[in-house]
Amino acid sequence: MKRKLLVSIAVFVIVGGSLLLAVTLAGSRPETNPAPEPARQSGRTIQVMPWGPSQQAIDAAKATAIAHPSVQRFIRGTRHRLLHFEFLEAAAKPIGRSEPPSRYRVTIFDYTNNRAIIAAGGFNDRKLEVTTDLAQPLPSEEEFEEAVAVLRQDPEIGPRLIEKSLMPYNPMPPIAGDGTSKLRPDRTVTVGLLPKEGGSDHKIVGVNMVRQTVVTYAGGAPPTSSAAPLHCGSSESFQPTTNRGTAGQFEVVISREGTELWRFLAIRPSVSSCIEGSGIELRDVDYRGKRVLTRANVPVLNVQYERNTCGPFRDWTYRENMFVASGTEVAPGFLMSDSEPQTIIETESDEGTYRGVALYDREDVSLTSELSAAWYRYISLWIFKDEGIIQPRFGFAATNTACVCLFHTHHVYWRFDFDIGTAANNSIRETGPGMPVLMETEVMRQRQPASQQQTWLIENSLTGDTVVLKPNPLDGNMDKFARGDVWLLRSKFPSEIDDSAQAGGGSAIRIDSMVNGEPIFKEDVVIWYAGHWTHDSFDINSRHVGQGPFYNGPDIIIRRW
């Protein structure tokens, strides 16, 4: 059965004296494709409604910030670049459904004075709060390209870049020292240089963005990295990625035979919250009209190498990579896919056709996005089942470089803000051998072996509505670097939506100080859940595709509703 795309069914509604525009978009496979449409066969329909600021509003906010007198006071006469655009959190946790973002933050780097300029403001006013920061923000795609342009002027490296016998790629770490002994070294963006035809002249160099000069390192790479001739992983495609600060928030409604099953906000990685992003972010997740989760995402992602032969690194989850998906884009960065999306895990290729989020409707409804963090490739995946199951999944892959060959372990940390029916009056029981145990105060729990594996029941103490958090056998167990498996916490918004406000530095998760004995019985509760995936490039058993060793993540199961 062919289905046409409804591209502009607009309904104007008068609400409180204001004229509002509601737009419904429905995706389908193209009319030229004779294959049946799975959602129609199952009686399932999916609505996608754009939500939040448009790209025009985002671009206008960027321009306003750059031109604002309070920003110009810092950057006038300097060489500078706008690196990142982010939405700011509301001051309080939403009651009911979330409101679209009203405030934003831009990060500008001033190369003349080697400092970051942070400007925060509102979409509907011209007031800006401006501060300076000596920290080094992550590079943008455009800044990396500027660094490559500097290398093209280098008498040794430039000709090889021009003839493409050396290919530039994003390495780890993305920012490195410039070889000086100053307390505040010049901003130095790293660039990997991979011989196209193989060979031993692989290297990672730095580009001093203040002086526009090339920095080389002993051993051919910064101290926490490697440029050895041995390479492991898929070949780098060198396709562009999506920067932080693009439109891509939408409300999704999944119904069957006219009955609404799931309703939630889906936020593409490039505008996800938290300091390093959080993959595909879900908010206001309702099942059959009742709240399950107010927010679910991945605020922290890191990796440690055996004996620290590389790294350790704190990764980011906002930069979208290309993967294979086809269909109809029904909202900015949101594709209704006419076939199952294929990521680097399935294709073992870094090349793709789409960046953003692909929704695919077969027996289940899935949301897929592929992420890039230097040579790492990550898959952010959510699966929704009609019977009331959510499967958060995270996948791991990498492109062809030296550190990937070394034994290392990735750690992914989901944050689930459970609000079963309501934010208050939620409690957690831990099940395992014996009777369920009521968890009364904040605690970290280590996952036990399969024969003694716990699950966690999150329930509304007044209604009895219950959801189960069930571990996946592939999720692994904590080590010293990972610091834990499952944390049961009282919700503190917005100070604990990630670990950026916690004391300490480095790449490991900073969550220990959140566990301080506060009550979690009949409270607003949050569960942090860690998955651990060990990558051994020379273990043939870890090289098959599908939802096997390359993916981990728990199941969230509606038990009583």
Side-chain angles (χ1 to χ4, degrees):
M1 178 178 178
K2 300 177 183 178
R3 190 176 68 173
K4 295 183 178 179
L5 174 67
L6 306 178
V7 292
S8 62
I9 300 179
V11 180
F12 289 91
V13 185
I14 301 296
V15 179
S18 299
L19 187 63
L20 303 181
L21 172 62
V23 181
T24 299
L25 299 174
S28 71
R29 63 180 74 249
E31 287 192 287
T32 56
N33 190 334
E37 207 284 325
R40 288 300 186 186
Q41 287 184 334
S42 65
R44 184 161 52 212
T45 59
I46 299 173
Q47 289 179 294
V48 177
M49 292 153 282
W51 183 89
S54 65
Q55 190 62 54
Q56 291 82 356
I58 292 171
D59 292 342
K62 292 177 183 178
T64 296
I66 287 287
H68 198 279
S70 59
V71 173
Q72 282 294 313
R73 182 166 64 90
F74 288 95
I75 66 173
R76 186 178 294 111
T78 68
R79 186 168 59 84
H80 59 270
R81 175 184 294 281
L82 192 153
L83 293 178
H84 302 296
F85 177 95
E86 306 160 68
F87 295 134
L88 288 177
E89 292 289 339
K93 182 174 176 178
I95 299 174
R97 303 207 68 79
S98 298
E99 294 291 329
S102 61
R103 292 179 56 77
Y104 64 87
R105 175 173 55 218
V106 297
T107 301
I108 303 161
F109 201 85
D110 166 12
Y111 300 108
T112 303
N113 298 292
N114 193 32
R115 63 183 180 179
I117 312 298
I118 314 296
F123 284 99
N124 296 321
D125 62 58
R126 287 187 54 82
K127 295 179 181 178
L128 283 183
E129 301 168 6
V130 184
T131 59
T132 61
D133 194 339
L134 300 183
Q136 295 281 355
L138 290 168
S140 65
E141 180 92 1
E142 292 79 9
E143 187 180 35
F144 179 79
E145 290 302 322
E146 182 182 342
V148 173
V150 172
L151 289 175
R152 289 197 181 96
Q153 304 303 313
D154 183 83
E156 178 185 348
I157 298 172
R160 297 197 61 190
L161 287 172
I162 294 169
E163 69 185 18
K164 296 187 177 180
S165 62
L166 279 180
M167 300 299 291
Y169 68 89
N170 288 276
M172 282 289 196
I175 298 289
D178 61 359
T180 73
S181 59
K182 293 184 298 182
L183 293 177
R184 182 162 62 98
D186 292 344
R187 181 169 177 80
T188 303
V189 174
T190 58
V191 179
L193 299 169
L194 194 66
K196 189 172 184 181
E197 303 300 330
S200 59
D201 52 348
H202 175 208
K203 66 180 68 175
I204 297 172
V205 301
V207 177
N208 184 313
M209 302 300 289
V210 174
R211 293 178 171 83
Q212 302 277 283
T213 55
V214 179
V215 180
T216 58
Y217 301 97
T224 59
S225 194
S226 174
L230 184 63
H231 306 149
C232 302
S234 302
S235 295
E236 168 89 45
S237 70
F238 308 106
Q239 291 182 301
T241 57
T242 301
N243 277 327
R244 199 163 202 178
T246 51
Q249 301 173 297
F250 28 83
E251 185 171 47
V252 179
V253 180
I254 303 171
S255 303
R256 181 187 285 278
E257 304 294 351
T259 299
E260 181 179 303
L261 300 177
W262 295 102
R263 179 185 291 265
F264 54 87
L265 296 176
I267 299 173
R268 68 187 291 186
S270 62
V271 282
S272 58
S273 66
C274 304
I275 294 297
E276 276 91 20
S278 52
I280 300 176
E281 182 172 329
L282 304 181
R283 298 190 189 180
D284 302 347
V285 181
D286 294 349
Y287 181 67
R288 294 185 177 271
K290 289 192 285 188
R291 181 62 45 87
V292 182
L293 292 152
T294 290
R295 186 185 303 223
N297 55 2
V298 174
V300 178
L301 176 67
N302 56 33
V303 57
Q304 185 185 41
Y305 288 77
E306 189 175 53
R307 298 186 300 277
N308 287 339
T309 47
C310 288
F313 299 126
R314 174 69 73 101
D315 294 341
W316 51 96
T317 54
Y318 61 79
R319 182 165 288 181
E320 298 164 356
N321 202 59
M322 300 287 274
F323 61 104
V324 178
S326 62
T328 303
E329 189 169 56
V330 295
F334 190 92
L335 185 80
M336 295 288 284
S337 186
D338 53 27
S339 59
E340 189 165 8
Q342 302 287 298
T343 71
I344 188 173
I345 292 178
E346 289 75 38
T347 64
E348 297 190 349
S349 170
D350 192 40
E351 295 187 356
T353 57
Y354 188 72
R355 291 194 308 269
V357 176
L359 183 150
Y360 180 57
D361 180 12
R362 192 174 60 181
E363 295 177 2
D364 307 316
V365 176
S366 63
L367 277 70
T368 303
S369 188
E370 184 170 313
L371 313 173
S372 169
W375 50 61
Y376 301 118
R377 299 293 181 267
Y378 297 112
I379 313 306
S380 181
L381 172 66
W382 296 88
I383 300 170
F384 292 84
K385 296 178 178 288
D386 287 0
E387 60 267 33
I389 298 174
I390 307 173
Q391 294 179 317
R393 294 292 183 265
F394 211 79
F396 307 88
T399 53
N400 198 11
T401 194
C403 283
V404 175
C405 300
L406 304 173
F407 188 89
H408 57 279
T409 302
H410 295 270
H411 305 281
V412 55
Y413 301 86
W414 284 272
R415 181 183 181 273
F416 302 118
D417 187 344
F418 285 102
D419 289 340
I420 309 303
T422 59
N425 295 305
N426 280 208
S427 301
I428 303 173
R429 298 179 187 273
E430 181 178 283
T431 70
M435 295 294 289
V437 177
L438 179 66
M439 312 304 289
E440 298 193 41
T441 58
E442 295 180 323
V443 66
M444 189 280 286
R445 300 294 292 162
Q446 186 173 358
R447 284 191 295 268
Q448 299 302 309
S451 61
Q452 299 177 304
Q453 180 64 76
Q454 318 101 302
T455 61
W456 290 271
L457 280 62
I458 306 94
E459 60 187 7
N460 186 301
S461 300
L462 298 180
T463 66
D465 292 339
T466 304
V467 171
V468 178
L469 181 65
K470 180 181 178 182
N472 185 323
L474 299 172
D475 292 347
N477 294 102
M478 63 175 283
D479 56 23
K480 184 177 180 180
F481 181 77
R483 298 187 175 175
D485 289 326
V486 179
W487 292 263
L488 313 178
L489 302 175
R490 185 175 177 178
S491 176
K492 299 180 187 67
F493 184 92
S495 62
E496 292 185 0
I497 61 170
D498 59 20
D499 67 346
S500 61
Q502 311 310 309
S507 301
I509 190 170
R510 301 181 292 273
I511 198 171
D512 294 345
S513 61
M514 297 184 192
V515 183
N516 54 22
E518 292 193 63
I520 55 172
F521 176 57
K522 295 185 179 180
E523 295 287 350
D524 185 358
V525 299
V526 165
I527 297 182
W528 285 74
Y529 183 98
H532 318 290
W533 183 75
T534 298
H535 188 183
D536 183 352
S537 294
F538 300 101
D539 180 3
I540 192 66
N541 294 321
S542 72
R543 289 190 55 77
H544 69 273
V545 300
Q547 284 198 51
F550 280 119
Y551 285 90
N552 60 24
D555 288 357
I556 298 171
I557 305 167
I558 306 293
R559 173 168 290 185
R560 176 179 173 181
W561 212 243

